[in-house]
Amino acid sequence: LTKMSSAAKAIKCEQCKTVFLNVNEVQTHADSTGHNQFSETDETPLVFYCQECGKPCRSETEKDFHSRRTGHSEFSLTELQNKIDTAAQAKELKEQKKQEMEEELESITGKRPKHQHKQENTNNEETVEPEIDQSLLNQMMEMGFTRNQSIRAIYENETLERSVDWLAEHLQDDDIDEPLLVPKSKAGPRVPLTEEEKARKIEELRILNKARREKEEKEEQRKREKERIESGKKISEMKREADDIIKQRERELRKREKEADIAAKQAMKEMLQREREERLRQAGIDPKAQQNSSTEATTSSSSS
């Protein structure tokens, strides 16, 4: 997702023009459609409610498609006025995904992540600032980070590169500038991992990455299947609409042909009548008198 300001009004999908109120809506939309181009907007999010079935449509495109599919044409427009804080929501979403990943690791390995242990002090042990590599601390502070930030980063990562990367992800944490205090028994210099411990950590990461990849692949497969089904539905809908248009045109053509046939027959009948009357006049016979005589003769025959 694109980075938003801390006081954005709404988020807009640049691919389908739908406007959303919060990051969770954006994430759901991205997961279901595959869209990945979003930007901050001053537009007010709109919802079109179908008056016939109550379906909410979040964009003109969705409303038009619903109308074509169902024939419903009456909608009421509602503006969503809640202002959002996208930065806070993005951070919340990030922490939520991080928590899900850690829970997944715990379910696989039976161990909790390191940061869930470090602040525990169930025996009310005295807390002190941890001992860390002073040369790393000096390098971090020379790079512009504060002392408390640097201590937290080095305590979590132990190397300069990983500490800088960690800070880049955690600078917005609420406690990032607070002093780090740990139980006194854990404040001493970290003991380097043994080869066995390193191998175990690598295996844990491998298992985690494998599980994440499998989850992503399943999600991607689910999205592709959903897109295939949606595409099939749209194609069927378009085919049905095209068939309806063809049938309507055929009905209109048959109607026009029938009307033209009736008009042609009527014109032929009127022309024959005019020619007959003209022949009678040329013979010195009044067409109207001839018509009356024919009518009387017909009536007499019927009476007999």
Side-chain angles (χ1 to χ4, degrees):
L1 299 179
T2 55
K3 187 176 181 181
M4 303 294 168
S5 66
S6 60
K9 185 174 183 181
I11 307 171
K12 183 176 183 180
C13 176
E14 296 297 343
Q15 292 165 269
C16 66
K17 309 305 180 186
T18 304
V19 180
F20 302 96
L21 269 179
N22 55 58
V23 172
N24 287 333
E25 288 185 352
V26 174
Q27 187 65 48
T28 300
H29 177 71
D31 290 343
S32 62
T33 63
H35 295 174
N36 57 9
Q37 297 178 19
F38 299 90
S39 63
E40 179 181 350
T41 180
D42 291 328
E43 297 179 27
T44 301
L46 303 176
V47 178
F48 300 89
Y49 287 98
C50 178
Q51 295 297 292
E52 297 182 58
C53 67
K55 175 179 172 59
C57 301
R58 293 298 298 271
S59 67
E60 288 281 357
T61 302
E62 185 178 359
K63 177 174 75 71
D64 292 343
F65 178 75
H66 179 69
S67 294
R68 290 196 303 271
R69 184 173 62 84
T70 63
H72 299 170
S73 58
E74 297 294 328
F75 293 84
S76 63
L77 180 61
T78 302
E79 293 185 354
L80 302 180
Q81 298 291 349
N82 295 335
K83 197 171 184 180
I84 61 173
D85 184 350
T86 53
Q89 290 174 347
K91 180 180 177 181
E92 179 182 353
L93 186 61
K94 179 180 177 181
E95 291 299 325
Q96 180 181 348
K97 288 188 174 295
K98 180 181 178 182
Q99 179 66 24
E100 291 175 355
M101 184 181 297
E102 290 170 349
E103 290 175 355
E104 186 175 359
L105 176 60
E106 182 180 351
S107 67
I108 295 172
T109 64
K111 299 180 179 180
R112 288 184 294 172
K114 176 177 62 177
H115 71 84
Q116 293 186 8
H117 293 278
K118 70 176 187 296
Q119 295 290 1
E120 293 182 356
N121 187 17
T122 56
N123 297 324
N124 296 322
E125 185 179 353
E126 179 186 359
T127 57
V128 296
E129 189 175 86
E131 297 180 19
I132 59 173
D133 190 321
Q134 289 298 314
S135 64
L136 285 180
L137 176 60
N138 293 335
Q139 292 180 64
M140 294 285 292
M141 295 179 65
E142 288 174 359
M143 295 172 66
F145 299 110
T146 67
R147 186 174 187 279
N148 289 338
Q149 292 172 354
S150 302
I151 290 175
R152 286 181 176 273
I154 296 170
Y155 184 80
E156 291 286 350
N157 300 277
E158 302 176 352
T159 67
L160 180 62
E161 182 178 358
R162 288 168 57 187
S163 297
V164 172
D165 291 341
W166 184 91
L167 271 178
E169 296 180 2
H170 293 80
L171 274 177
Q172 301 302 320
D173 290 358
D174 294 336
D175 60 351
I176 192 64
D177 287 310
E178 296 178 6
L180 176 62
L181 299 177
V182 299
K184 191 172 183 179
S185 60
K186 300 180 180 181
R190 296 279 182 93
V191 178
L193 296 176
T194 65
E195 292 300 322
E196 182 180 351
E197 290 172 332
K198 288 181 181 179
R200 187 166 59 249
K201 277 186 171 293
I202 291 173
E203 179 63 17
E204 290 175 358
L205 290 174
R206 188 191 66 79
I207 294 174
L208 177 60
N209 288 331
K210 180 181 178 182
R212 185 168 62 247
R213 282 197 305 272
E214 290 176 351
K215 183 178 180 180
E216 291 174 352
E217 289 173 358
K218 289 181 180 178
E219 182 65 20
E220 183 64 26
Q221 184 177 0
R222 184 190 67 81
K223 288 196 296 184
R224 285 198 300 267
E225 180 63 17
K226 184 175 181 179
E227 290 173 358
R228 184 189 66 79
I229 294 173
E230 290 295 329
S231 177
K233 289 180 179 179
K234 290 180 180 179
I235 291 174
S236 298
E237 181 68 22
M238 293 171 63
K239 185 177 182 299
R240 185 163 57 250
E241 291 179 357
D243 290 342
D244 290 343
I245 292 173
I246 292 173
K247 290 177 181 178
Q248 179 65 23
R249 288 177 179 174
E250 289 176 348
R251 287 193 295 268
E252 293 175 354
L253 178 60
R254 287 195 297 270
K255 181 179 178 181
R256 287 196 298 270
E257 289 175 346
K258 184 176 180 180
E259 291 173 349
D261 186 50
I262 293 173
K265 289 180 179 179
Q266 182 63 29
M268 177 63 71
K269 182 178 179 181
E270 292 174 354
M271 184 184 71
L272 293 174
Q273 180 66 23
R274 287 194 300 271
E275 290 178 353
R276 179 175 176 277
E277 291 176 354
E278 182 63 27
R279 287 195 298 272
L280 290 173
R281 289 190 189 94
Q282 291 176 359
I285 302 172
D286 185 359
K288 292 183 179 181
Q290 177 68 23
Q291 183 178 6
N292 291 336
S293 299
S294 298
T295 303
E296 291 173 359
T298 303
T299 303
S300 299
S301 299
S302 299
S303 300
S304 300

